[in-house]
Amino acid sequence: MTDYILKPIAQEELIVRIAVLLENRHLLLENQNQRQRLHDEELLRRDSKFESLFAHSIEGMVVGEWINDQGSDKDYRILKANAAFLHHVQLSQNQVCGKLTRDIAGWPFHELTGLFDQVVTEGIPRKIEFSVSGGSAVYQVRAFVLQELSFAFVIENITQRKIEEDELRIAAAAFESQEGIIVMDPKGVIQRVNRSFCRITGFTAHEVVGLTLEFMKSDRHAPLFYRRILRALHRRHMWQGEIWVRYKNAVHAPLVVEITAVQGKHGEVSHYLMLFHDISERKESEDKIYALAFFDQLTGLPNRILFQDRLQEAMLVGAAQKTHTGLFLIDLDHFRTLNDTLGHGAGDQLLKQMAERLVACAGETHVVARLGGDEFIVMMPDLSPHAEEAGEQVRKQARVLQTVLSQPYVLDAQAHHFTSSMGVTLFKDVPTGIEALLKQAELAMYKAKAEGRHGISYFDDAMEVELNRRVAMEHALQQALQDGQFVLHYQAQLEAFQVIGVEALIRWQHPEWGLVGPATFIPLAEETGLIVPLGHWVMMTACQQLQQWSQDSRFKHLTVAVNVSARQFHQPDFVDSVLGLLQKFMIAPGRLKLELTESLLVHDVASVITTMTTLKQQGVNFSLDDFGTGYSSLSYLKRLPLHQLKIDQSFVRDIMVDANDAAIAKTIIALAQSLGLDVIAEGVETREQQEFLRQWGCYRCQGFYFSRALPQAEFESYAKTLMV
Ligand code: C2E
Ligand code: MG
Ligand code: MG
C-alpha cells in the first residue's frame, strides 16, 4: 500500500493518484520481468556451458534419474549420454537414452545400480572400478548427485593404465629377483641396485649409487677385456659373458653377466641394465671335474690325458722353434713286490714321494706326470736346436733324476731303497705323433729293465728299427684278422694213452712269412688290444670244431681247451659272448675248457671270481695254465672255481735232472689233490717224464712225446691211430 483516496473524491486528485499507482505498478512489473529475463539468460548460459561440456568431454558422461513408480521396482532411467560414452559402450543414443538400466542390452548397466543407490541415498560422490568382457576392459566410474533424484556419472576406460600398473608391479617384483641387477645411466653411473646385488656383493645401495662400476673391477682382466665389452655395447647394445669382479670383502668372484642398453623411442640409450649371478660354485665344481679328469688323485700330478695334451703342445712349439724336447719315462723296479710285502699304503707313500722329488728337480718349463701305476714321465722342452748338445743336456738330466730317485725313501718311519728304470728319448720334428714318441720312451725303458734294471736307456736307431717292426707287425695283424689268415692247431691231451681232449693253439698262416707261432704275435696283440677280436675268433673256431666233433662218435667225447688272455677275459661282454657261442653251436658247456694264466689274478680278483663263477655255473671248466711260474696266493687258489691245474712245461723239462723242478712238480700234484682239483702236465717230451708224473699221481699229459699241435685233419688221423 503506497497511497489511499480520501472522500469526498476530488476527481483530478483521484486521476493523478491512480496514474501514479498504475505507474508504480508498471515499474514493479517491469522490474520483475527484467530480473526474470536476466535470470533466464543466466540459466541459459549455464545450461549451454554444461551442454557443451557434456557433449564434448572425452570422458564418457551420463545423466540419469531415480524412478520409483508405484508398483514397479525401483530403477534408474538414463536421461542423457554423451558421445564419448556411447563410443565406449558401442551403443547408439536410442539404445540408451530414455531407457531403464535393466532394459539396456549390450552393456552391463545393471552392475552399476549398487553404486547409484549409494550415491542417491547418501548424496556423496563415489567411484568404483569395474571390468567388462571378462576383464579385457576395465573402467573407472565416478557418480555424484545432480539434484535430489537425478545423478550423473563419468566413465573412463582405464584398461591401458591397469596394464601399465601391472607391468610396473611385475617389473618391481622382477627387480627384486635372485639375480643381481644394476641400473646405470648412459655414462655408466649407477642409479639403482636391487637387494640381490647387495646380498651378492656385500655393498649397500647407498654406497654404490652415483658411482661407476670401477670399484668392482677385478685385476684378473686386462684393460682390453673391458674395452671389448664397451665396444660390444656400443655396436650391439648388449654384452654377455663371464666376468671376475671384486666384492666388498675383497673376494674375487666369477659372475655370469648380461648388460643390455635400454633405448628410447629414437634409439638413444637411456639406461644400461646389468643382470648377473655368481657362479663361484659352478666354477668350483668345474675345477673339481677338471682336476678329476686331468690330474692323478694320489700325487696331484697331471695324468696321461693332460700329459699327452702338453706333449702335443710341446711338439708344435718345438717344431716351430727348432728346439729339442726330451722325454724321460721312469718305471719303479719291483713295485709289485713292494705292494705285496709292505702293503698298498706304503706303495702310495712311495709314489707320492717319487712325485715330490721329480717335481722338485724339474725346471719351470718341465712337465711331470704320472701315466699310471708306477710309471712317471718328465718332459723337458726348450733344449738346444743341435742334436749333440741336446743329447748331452738330456743325459745330464737323466743322471740327475736317477740320483734323486735312488735316495732312500722313508715309509712308515723306516728307510727303504728303491731303484727305477728310465727310458729316454729326444725329439725335434716328429711327424709320427705323440703315440709314437711315448712308444719310443717305453721301448727304451723296457730295454733298461731288460738290461738288469736301475739303468737308463736311450732310444736309438736300433730301437727305431724294432719300433718300426712292431708298427708293421701291428698292421699286418689287423690285415690278417680281416683276411682270415689265422688257423687253429690242436694238441692232444691224453690219459692212459687215450686222447681225452685237445688244446687249441693259434697259428698265423702268413702269405710270405709262412706259419708264425703265437709267441711272436700274441704279446703284441695283447698290448694293442687286438687280442679281443682275435680271442673271439679263436673261441668261435673252437666252438665250431666242438660242434663238428659232437656229430662224430669217434671224437664226441673230446674237450677243447682254449687259451684266454687277461685283456679278453676282462671284457665286460666276455661271459655273454662265450655263452652266446655255446648256444649258437649247441655245445655241452662241459666240453669247453678255458685256460687262464696266473697273470689274470693280479688285478681285481673279486671280479675275476665273479666272471669265472658265472661261467662255471653254466658248466664251463677252467684250467690254470703255466701253473707255478707266476704268482698265485694259496688263498686265491682256494676261492677260484677251478677244475684243473696245469703244471708248466718249464718244470717238466728238467724233471728228471733237476731235483728242484721235480720237487715243484710233486708239490703241484699234491696241492691239486688236496684242493680236489684235476692236474695235467704240459711239455711232456719223453717217456721218462710221463712215467715220473704218473708215479706221483699226474695221469694226464700233453706234449711232443705224444703229439705236437696239429692241423685238424692231421690231429684226427693221429687220434684214430690210438683208437683200438
Ligand atoms: P701254452 O698255453 O702254455 O701252450 C703250450 C705251448 O707249449 C704251445 O706253444 C705248445 O706248442 C707248446 N708245447 C706243447 N708241448 C710241448 C713240448 O712237449 N715241448 C715244448 N717245448 N713245447 C711244447 P705255442 O703253440 O707256441 O703257444 C705258446 C703260447 O701262446 C701258449 O702257451 C699260449 O699261452 C699262447 N697261445 C696260443 N694260442 C693262443 C690263443 O688262442 N689265445 C691266447 N690268448 N694265447 C694263445
Ligand atoms: Mg695253454
Ligand atoms: Mg702253458
Side-chain angles (χ1 to χ4, degrees):
M1 183 74 107
T2 56
D3 211 347
Y4 51 90
I5 299 167
L6 292 176
K7 285 184 185 171
I9 299 164
Q11 196 164 348
E12 295 81 31
E13 194 188 337
L14 177 67
I15 291 170
V16 169
R17 288 234 165 126
I18 290 172
V20 170
L21 285 175
L22 284 173
E23 183 65 8
N24 277 348
R25 179 90 189 122
H26 177 74
L27 285 174
L28 203 68
L29 283 175
E30 187 84 333
N31 192 6
Q32 265 177 357
N33 283 345
Q34 177 81 9
R35 284 228 307 272
Q36 183 63 42
R37 216 171 38 248
L38 284 174
H39 180 71
D40 285 355
E41 271 172 21
E42 175 62 22
L43 270 185
L44 204 65
R45 247 197 327 274
R46 270 205 230 157
D47 230 28
S48 74
K49 261 193 201 154
F50 174 75
E51 280 302 326
S52 164
L53 178 73
F54 186 81
H56 297 116
S57 167
I58 52 163
E59 293 188 331
M61 286 178 152
V62 178
V63 175
E65 64 177 352
W66 186 43
I67 302 289
N68 201 0
D69 296 339
Q70 281 104 8
S72 74
D73 281 347
K74 134 182 135 178
D75 201 352
Y76 296 93
R77 188 200 320 269
I78 302 303
L79 299 174
K80 287 180 181 201
N82 72 355
F85 177 80
L86 294 170
H87 178 73
H88 271 317
V89 301
Q90 293 288 303
L91 293 172
S92 71
Q93 190 88 8
N94 292 343
Q95 287 171 302
V96 177
C97 296
K99 296 271 164 63
L100 294 178
T101 54
R102 73 169 98 111
D103 295 335
I104 300 174
W107 205 72
F109 271 102
H110 53 275
E111 285 186 19
L112 292 177
T113 49
L115 172 73
F116 301 157
D117 287 348
Q118 278 188 328
V119 171
V120 173
T121 51
E122 292 167 10
I124 313 169
R126 291 202 172 265
K127 70 174 177 191
I128 58 161
E129 276 173 19
F130 93 117
S131 55
V132 298
S133 317
S136 66
V138 184
Y139 293 95
Q140 189 184 64
V141 181
R142 278 170 286 143
F144 48 92
V145 176
L146 281 181
Q147 277 161 18
E148 212 172 311
L149 293 179
S150 68
F151 62 91
F153 69 86
V154 178
I155 186 162
E156 193 186 349
N157 186 337
I158 55 166
T159 316
Q160 189 56 32
R161 198 169 80 204
K162 277 275 158 198
I163 291 173
E164 282 162 11
E165 274 173 18
D166 282 352
E167 273 173 3
L168 274 179
R169 246 200 332 276
I170 292 166
F175 191 69
E176 290 311 339
S177 76
Q178 289 303 304
E179 298 238 320
I181 301 177
I182 305 174
V183 181
M184 290 167 283
D185 73 3
K187 291 203 170 108
V189 176
I190 299 178
Q191 305 204 309
R192 280 182 74 184
V193 291
N194 69 348
R195 276 198 288 270
S196 292
F197 167 89
C198 304
R199 177 177 49 78
I200 297 170
T201 66
F203 292 107
T204 63
H206 185 68
E207 286 170 317
V208 302
V209 168
L211 303 179
T212 64
L213 282 175
E214 202 67 27
F215 67 94
M216 275 178 81
K217 261 191 188 169
S218 155
D219 49 14
R220 297 210 185 191
H221 300 291
L224 184 68
F225 176 78
Y226 298 107
R227 280 209 288 280
R228 276 207 204 110
I229 298 180
L230 290 180
R231 206 178 318 137
L233 284 177
H234 188 67
R235 286 203 190 138
R236 289 181 278 117
H237 290 304
M238 75 97 64
W239 180 85
Q240 61 183 32
E242 285 180 20
I243 192 167
W244 281 86
V245 296
R246 206 163 48 89
Y247 290 162
K248 189 170 181 184
N249 59 6
V251 166
H252 291 250
L255 304 181
V256 162
V257 168
E258 192 181 318
I259 308 176
T260 328
V262 181
Q263 286 168 272
K265 276 203 185 108
H266 307 294
E268 78 286 0
V269 173
S270 65
H271 295 91
Y272 284 109
L273 197 63
M274 172 165 153
L275 268 66
F276 64 89
H277 59 265
D278 182 291
I279 51 161
S280 307
E281 259 174 47
R282 196 186 85 195
K283 269 264 183 292
E284 238 166 66
S285 55
E286 273 173 9
D287 287 352
K288 259 188 217 146
I289 291 168
Y290 177 78
L292 277 178
F294 297 112
F295 290 88
D296 169 48
Q297 295 306 296
L298 179 68
T299 61
L301 292 180
N303 64 11
R304 181 182 284 271
I305 301 170
L306 184 56
F307 181 77
Q308 286 179 334
D309 201 53
R310 297 280 151 86
L311 184 55
Q312 187 86 49
E313 222 170 87
M315 263 171 65
L316 294 176
V317 174
Q321 299 179 347
K322 306 263 179 275
T323 52
H324 281 88
T325 299
L327 280 186
F328 307 80
L329 183 67
I330 299 149
D331 189 282
L332 202 63
D333 297 331
H334 309 294
F335 183 59
R336 188 118 118 268
T337 322
L338 158 83
N339 263 334
D340 290 339
T341 50
L342 295 180
H344 287 273
D348 285 355
Q349 286 178 43
L350 176 61
L351 292 174
K352 274 194 204 164
Q353 292 181 28
M354 277 182 77
E356 280 161 17
R357 289 182 191 189
L358 288 173
V359 170
C361 72
E364 274 228 333
T365 56
H366 299 187
V367 179
V368 181
R370 181 178 172 210
L371 296 186
D374 56 344
E375 227 177 52
F376 292 90
I377 194 159
V378 179
M379 179 174 77
M380 190 179 177
D382 294 336
L383 300 178
S384 166
H386 307 293
E388 266 181 33
E389 237 174 58
E392 195 43 54
Q393 287 172 309
V394 154
R395 270 188 286 278
K396 206 168 127 200
Q397 179 71 5
R399 282 194 297 273
V400 171
L401 289 174
Q402 188 84 329
T403 316
V404 167
L405 289 179
S406 56
Q407 301 306 308
Y409 295 82
V410 179
L411 308 178
D412 295 328
Q414 276 209 316
H416 295 267
H417 278 274
F418 297 100
T419 60
S420 47
S421 304
M422 192 184 307
V424 184
T425 187
L426 192 64
F427 67 90
K428 183 163 80 176
D429 260 320
V430 250
T432 38
I434 49 171
E435 276 305 321
L437 273 176
L438 288 173
K439 269 262 145 56
Q440 289 183 356
E442 204 172 284
L443 216 64
M445 193 269 289
Y446 282 131
K447 188 156 166 262
K449 284 239 190 255
E451 284 168 353
R453 303 183 192 240
H454 191 33
I456 304 170
S457 165
Y458 298 89
F459 182 79
D460 57 22
D461 293 348
M463 280 190 225
E464 179 112 50
V465 172
E466 164 65 13
L467 194 65
N468 290 341
R469 194 192 65 80
R470 284 162 55 102
V471 172
M473 180 81 136
E474 201 182 320
H475 284 303
L477 267 179
Q478 258 157 349
Q479 195 62 43
L481 250 175
Q482 273 174 26
D483 296 355
Q485 294 172 4
F486 294 103
V487 283
L488 282 192
H489 283 189
Y490 301 95
Q491 184 175 34
Q493 297 185 329
L494 300 95
E495 181 174 353
F497 291 97
Q498 289 298 306
V499 181
I500 52 167
V502 294
E503 175 174 8
L505 293 159
I506 191 169
R507 304 285 180 262
W508 180 2
Q509 188 70 59
H510 192 276
E512 288 159 31
W513 310 334
L515 202 64
V516 183
T520 326
F521 62 87
I522 290 285
L524 187 67
E526 282 176 338
E527 247 176 72
T528 57
L530 270 175
I531 193 69
V532 176
L534 195 61
H536 184 78
W537 177 85
V538 171
M539 191 75 73
M540 190 190 68
T541 312
C543 287
Q544 236 165 355
Q545 188 59 67
L546 268 171
Q547 186 189 39
Q548 201 185 321
W549 282 336
S550 71
Q551 283 148 16
D552 188 325
S553 59
R554 293 165 301 175
F555 304 118
K556 66 178 186 197
H557 63 288
L558 298 181
T559 58
V560 174
V562 173
N563 294 283
V564 177
S565 287
R567 190 144 175 193
Q568 184 188 355
F569 187 84
H570 282 301
Q571 291 299 304
D573 62 347
F574 180 70
V575 170
D576 289 342
S577 102
V578 172
L579 295 179
L581 288 171
L582 289 177
Q583 204 171 22
K584 178 174 175 197
F585 294 103
M586 295 178 295
I587 295 159
R591 297 261 164 267
L592 183 67
K593 187 158 72 179
L594 302 185
E595 290 197 4
L596 309 178
T597 56
E598 288 165 292
S599 63
L600 196 74
L601 304 175
V602 177
H603 298 294
D604 203 0
V605 185
S607 99
V608 171
I609 292 177
T610 313
T611 306
M612 285 176 75
T613 310
T614 318
L615 287 168
K616 177 81 188 178
Q617 278 162 354
Q618 301 295 318
V620 178
N621 285 319
F622 289 95
S623 181
L624 198 54
D625 203 355
D626 306 341
F627 188 68
T629 57
Y631 164 89
S632 315
S633 100
L634 278 180
S635 65
Y636 285 166
L637 219 53
K638 254 175 33 194
R639 286 163 56 202
L640 297 177
L642 284 171
H643 170 73
Q644 187 177 61
L645 296 183
K646 197 171 191 184
I647 306 170
D648 187 64
Q649 52 180 283
S650 59
F651 307 119
V652 176
R653 192 186 308 128
D654 296 329
I655 207 166
M656 305 307 293
V657 288
D658 188 325
N660 284 336
D661 286 349
I664 291 172
K666 284 191 257 179
T667 310
I668 296 174
I669 297 167
L671 183 67
Q673 282 168 348
S674 72
L675 288 172
L677 299 176
D678 193 16
V679 64
I680 187 169
E682 68 178 347
V684 178
E685 296 185 352
T686 64
R687 209 182 71 82
E688 289 74 28
Q689 288 167 345
Q690 189 249 329
E691 199 39 47
F692 180 92
L693 287 159
R694 199 186 55 79
Q695 264 176 15
W696 289 97
C698 174
Y699 306 107
R700 302 185 164 183
C701 291
Q702 170 186 350
F704 294 169
Y705 173 55
F706 307 99
S707 164
R708 292 178 172 267
L710 301 168
Q712 178 205 343
E714 285 173 48
F715 161 76
E716 286 176 0
S717 330
Y718 162 77
K720 278 185 232 164
T721 61
L722 293 185
M723 293 173 188
V724 254

